[in-house]
Amino acid sequence: MNRITQCLHGKGTISGMMHQKKNGGNGSRGEYLAYAAEYRPIIFWNLTNRCNLNCIHCYNRSGPANGTNNELTTEEALALIDDLAEMGVPLILFTGGEPLLREDIWTLADHARTRGIMTALSTNGTLITPDVAEQIKACGIGYAGISLDGATAQTHNRFRGRPDAFERSIAAFAHCREAGIKCGVRVTLTRENYAELPSLIDLAEAIGASRFCLYWLVPSGRGIDAYTRLQLSGDEVNDTLTLLYRRAEATDPKKMEFLTVDSPQDAIHLLAAMKRDNAADRAEAEELVASLKGGCSAGTRVANIDHQGNVYPCQFAQAEELRIGSVRDRPFSQIWEQTNHPVLSIFRERTPVFTGKCGDCRHISLCGGGCRVRALRLSGDIHAEDPFCFVYRDHEISPFNHR
């Protein structure tokens, strides 16, 4: 996760994150969780594989045709929450499928609250009515990330496979705002919505989003099928990062923050831009990025549990060869504490050996080799270079020439 706004604005914010890092994550605040102690991960929990939409880039092939598919029972889910609380997990992000289709979500969220775990929601927004927004608030869910894949109904609805998806998702922001729930925009940027990014940022501001979170496409689920057709070029990625940097620079951080996900190498572009502009917070931002010892959180600060209780290093790593275990066989805490698991060892390696561009890049300590899921899916080798990295181009960092 590349926290553009938090690096650009406010030494107090950055100092707070560094204090959080150095003190092992104790007393976690929401904006500091990415820098908390490793191995007490944020949990991305796919409560269900059911969804009322059929998105072309869905990372786990959720959709209307899916049934309950041996989902964890309420009793199993409550026991899982108890285990997560005992090991000190700071945050559960309820996702799916569409998590609001899980009938007991309010029971689970309320139980997490009573056990001292913060909760957030990742949703397509189409099921959020005024009453649902009030329920979200009542059970203690503190934040809702709502997906918007275009600034126009035509683009968003094409991605989502439903003619009224845009209208309903936009309405969800209003309902959440009226209920006092912080919510943000989540967008997966591809060739088909790239041109709408400036307008989408404007829209996010207009509807009161507190966060603009840009995801890059990962070859997982239906994203594998669409990857070649939808993935951006290096020039488009660089232009996007420049746009986000400039918009974050000009936006009051109390109004909306900007961040990118699924490309740890984005932080290198950010630091290069801050150096070029002689940004006031550059030194602390460099210290912060370096402190993460590789930007990917999979297998350390992040974990995924799917609807059947299978555990993976992150939500994009849902493949049998990357499966770590099942909470139906043993508690999550025991699965996560393994020190010699072959998959976890790869993601937790402090001095990994990569091939290709990643094997010969001096920035490897900052990004940790990018996304290992992309490397595995597109080359068959988890230690290969991240094909989505455009930092090491002609031995320069484009466009900032910071090598």
Side-chain angles (χ1 to χ4, degrees):
M1 184 175 289
N2 181 36
R3 293 178 174 267
I4 303 171
T5 295
Q6 288 187 343
C7 283
L8 279 176
H9 291 281
K11 287 183 178 294
T13 299
I14 295 176
S15 297
M17 287 185 281
M18 290 306 302
H19 178 78
Q20 176 80 357
K21 182 72 177 176
K22 292 172 182 176
N23 286 276
N26 295 320
S28 295
R29 289 174 54 186
E31 68 267 36
Y32 299 160
L33 288 180
Y35 310 98
E38 294 181 4
Y39 311 141
R40 288 194 296 139
I42 293 171
I43 304 295
F44 287 74
W45 185 356
N46 300 103
L47 290 181
T48 181
N49 206 30
R50 292 171 282 160
C51 190
N52 59 324
L53 303 183
N54 194 37
C55 304
I56 61 176
H57 55 310
C58 178
Y59 69 83
N60 63 3
R61 300 185 186 276
S62 298
N66 296 339
T68 55
N69 293 327
N70 199 27
E71 292 174 356
L72 293 178
T73 65
T74 300
E75 291 71 23
E76 288 174 319
L78 292 172
L80 172 56
I81 291 170
D82 287 337
D83 180 51
L84 297 178
E86 289 297 324
M87 68 178 290
V89 162
L91 172 69
I92 297 172
L93 190 146
F94 295 123
T95 183
E98 173 47 58
L100 294 177
L101 288 174
R102 174 92 186 202
E103 293 79 2
D104 58 0
I105 185 172
W106 315 123
T107 299
L108 302 183
D110 188 65
H111 188 63
R113 177 177 56 179
T114 63
R115 294 305 314 268
I117 305 177
M118 292 187 293
T119 55
L121 183 69
S122 178
T123 173
N124 62 46
T126 61
L127 301 180
I128 299 180
T129 63
D131 287 344
V132 169
E134 290 294 342
Q135 287 182 290
I136 293 171
K137 180 71 173 179
C139 71
I141 293 175
Y143 173 84
I146 300 174
S147 298
L148 279 180
D149 287 311
T152 64
Q154 180 181 9
T155 299
H156 180 77
N157 294 343
R158 183 175 67 247
F159 269 87
R160 297 277 155 177
R162 178 169 172 155
D164 62 348
F166 183 78
E167 175 187 353
R168 294 165 71 101
S169 295
I170 293 296
F173 282 91
H175 300 326
C176 286
R177 187 170 61 249
E178 291 164 5
I181 303 164
K182 289 184 66 175
C183 52
V185 166
R186 302 168 65 254
V187 54
T188 300
L189 200 67
T190 70
R191 290 177 182 172
E192 294 190 0
N193 60 1
Y194 165 76
E196 294 185 15
L197 181 59
S199 298
L200 187 54
I201 296 173
D202 292 340
L203 176 61
E205 291 179 337
I207 60 180
S210 63
R211 170 180 287 183
F212 190 89
C213 185
L214 187 146
Y215 285 74
W216 303 107
L217 187 63
V218 177
S220 175
R222 283 194 292 274
I224 297 174
D225 307 332
Y227 189 82
T228 301
R229 177 172 61 88
L230 295 179
Q231 189 58 283
L232 298 171
S233 68
D235 287 337
E236 290 167 332
V237 169
N238 286 324
D239 289 346
T240 297
L241 292 172
T242 300
L243 173 64
L244 293 178
Y245 175 83
R246 291 304 182 197
R247 293 297 294 262
E249 188 179 40
T251 301
D252 182 347
K254 294 180 181 178
K255 181 178 180 181
M256 188 167 73
E257 69 166 325
F258 292 80
L259 59 156
T260 65
V261 181
D262 308 325
S263 180
Q265 53 268 31
D266 290 350
I268 301 169
H269 290 260
L270 173 61
L271 295 180
M274 294 181 74
K275 179 180 181 180
R276 179 201 61 205
D277 293 347
N278 196 26
D281 294 337
R282 181 187 131 211
E284 285 190 302
E286 289 177 345
E287 182 183 2
L288 177 64
V289 172
S291 76
L292 294 177
K293 298 181 175 63
C296 180
S297 299
T300 55
R301 298 178 295 273
V302 162
N304 171 244
I305 302 171
D306 75 6
H307 61 292
Q308 296 180 335
N310 296 305
V311 179
Y312 302 93
C314 76
Q315 66 269 37
F316 300 105
Q318 291 185 9
E320 184 58 35
E321 64 266 39
L322 296 176
R323 180 177 174 273
I324 302 165
S326 170
V327 300
R328 282 178 160 153
D329 297 329
R330 60 196 299 200
F332 174 88
S333 55
Q334 293 182 17
I335 294 171
W336 202 246
E337 289 167 1
Q338 297 177 89
T339 58
N340 58 353
H341 192 281
V343 173
L344 283 177
S345 297
I346 292 171
F347 286 89
R348 293 175 178 175
E349 225 175 342
R350 282 304 179 203
T351 56
V353 177
F354 298 125
T355 60
K357 293 183 295 184
C358 290
D360 187 31
C361 180
R362 72 183 183 90
H363 302 288
I364 196 71
S365 63
L366 295 179
C367 76
C371 176
R372 293 296 93 207
V373 173
R374 283 197 194 93
L376 177 63
R377 285 285 163 265
L378 299 182
S379 73
D381 180 3
I382 200 167
H383 290 99
E385 65 185 51
D386 181 351
F388 190 65
C389 181
F390 305 102
V391 172
Y392 193 97
R393 179 195 293 175
D394 299 327
H395 305 286
E396 300 287 346
I397 291 183
S398 177
F400 304 121
N401 196 24
H402 175 54
R403 187 176 174 81

